[in-house]
């Protein structure tokens, strides 16, 4: 049979340790929320810097990429959008709490409830930071593909004009103008000056 007996009386050091622990528990949730706000602002500034300072740039027209590589850029951008949105929601959850109302009868005692919310906020903060960093990596990968991906090849056309011939791939057409992508860049060819247009195997 087990008998419970009172332990030794608490010392001054024990009382101070209990007071310090209670103070830490009371301020724990506020510290986590402050950290989440700082992370949210910092990661938001990172994404704004990537876009605002024109680091997210590659070819001006993704259509000039080879078809498979252009589709890869689309997949990477879509994945970046999804991960960025989920990461932003997780950071907002960490900084401001759940978007829900808890019934009064289900509320735990203040120290326990605050600690549980702090643990959930830290978990959401870690998830949000990881997803936003993954979003940045996907954006950089999309830019890398637009920079270094193989260009679209063929069919090549040779356009004869009064000033000579232009050889390349047709990338666009507007009223009275034909856009031909050549080895030196896009060339606008007025249709009024065009004399011949024929397909060629290579330029």
């Amino acid at each position: 049979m087990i008998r419970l007996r009172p332990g030794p009386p608490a010392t001054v050091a024990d009382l101070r340790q209990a007071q310090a622990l209670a103070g830490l528990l009371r301020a724990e949730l506020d510290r986590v929320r402050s950290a989440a706000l700082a992370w949210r602002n910092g990661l938001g500034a990172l994404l704004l810097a990537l876009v605002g300072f024109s680091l997210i740039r590659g070819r001006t027209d993704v259509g000039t990429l080879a078809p498979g590589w252009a589709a890869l850029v689309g997949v990477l951008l879509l994945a970046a959008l999804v991960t960025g949105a989920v990461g932003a929601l997780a950071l907002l959850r960490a900084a401001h709490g759940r978007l829900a109302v808890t019934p009064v009868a289900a509320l735990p005692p203040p120290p326990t409830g605050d600690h549980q919310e702090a643990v959930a906020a830290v978990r959401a903060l870690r998830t949000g930071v990881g997803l936003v960093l993954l979003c940045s990596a996907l954006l950089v990968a999309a830019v890398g593909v637009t920079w270094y991906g193989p260009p679209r090849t063929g069919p090549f056309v040779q356009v004869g004009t009064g000033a000579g011939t232009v050889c390349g791939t047709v990338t666009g057409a507007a009223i009275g103008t034909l856009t031909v992508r050549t080895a030196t860049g896009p060339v606008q060819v007025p249709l009024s000056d065009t004399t011949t247009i024929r397909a060629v195997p290579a330029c």
Side-chain angles (χ1 to χ4, degrees):
M1 181 177 180
I2 299 177
R3 293 182 179 180
L4 298 179
R5 296 179 180 178
T11 62
V12 176
D14 294 333
L15 294 176
R16 289 178 178 175
Q17 184 178 3
Q19 289 177 347
L21 180 59
L24 289 175
L25 288 176
R26 281 195 302 268
E28 181 183 28
L29 183 57
D30 292 336
R31 293 197 308 271
V32 172
R33 292 278 168 81
S34 298
L37 285 172
W39 275 100
R40 184 198 65 183
N41 295 337
L43 293 173
L46 171 64
L47 290 179
L48 286 177
L50 288 175
V51 178
F53 290 98
S54 301
L55 294 180
I56 304 302
R57 290 189 60 186
R59 287 185 172 92
T60 55
D61 184 6
V62 181
T64 60
L65 282 170
W69 292 88
L72 177 60
V73 171
V75 171
L76 289 173
L77 291 177
L78 178 60
L81 176 63
V82 173
T83 55
V86 176
L89 291 176
L91 290 176
L92 290 174
R93 162 67 180 88
H96 303 290
R98 292 190 308 127
L99 189 61
V101 177
T102 304
V104 176
L107 288 174
T112 304
D114 289 347
H115 177 67
Q116 292 175 351
E117 177 61 24
V119 171
V122 169
R123 189 180 302 115
L125 176 60
R126 290 174 177 170
T127 302
V129 170
L131 288 177
V132 172
L133 292 179
L134 177 59
C135 171
S136 302
L138 290 171
L139 287 175
V140 172
V143 174
V145 173
T146 59
W147 280 346
Y148 303 110
R152 180 188 294 272
T153 57
F156 296 99
V157 295
Q158 191 176 61
V159 181
T161 66
T165 60
V166 176
C167 187
T169 58
V170 177
T171 58
I175 298 176
T177 305
L178 192 68
T179 303
V180 180
R181 183 178 180 274
T182 66
T184 58
V187 176
Q188 304 288 333
V189 180
L191 291 178
S192 58
D193 294 341
T194 301
T195 57
T196 59
I197 300 178
R198 63 189 183 92
V200 294
C203 290

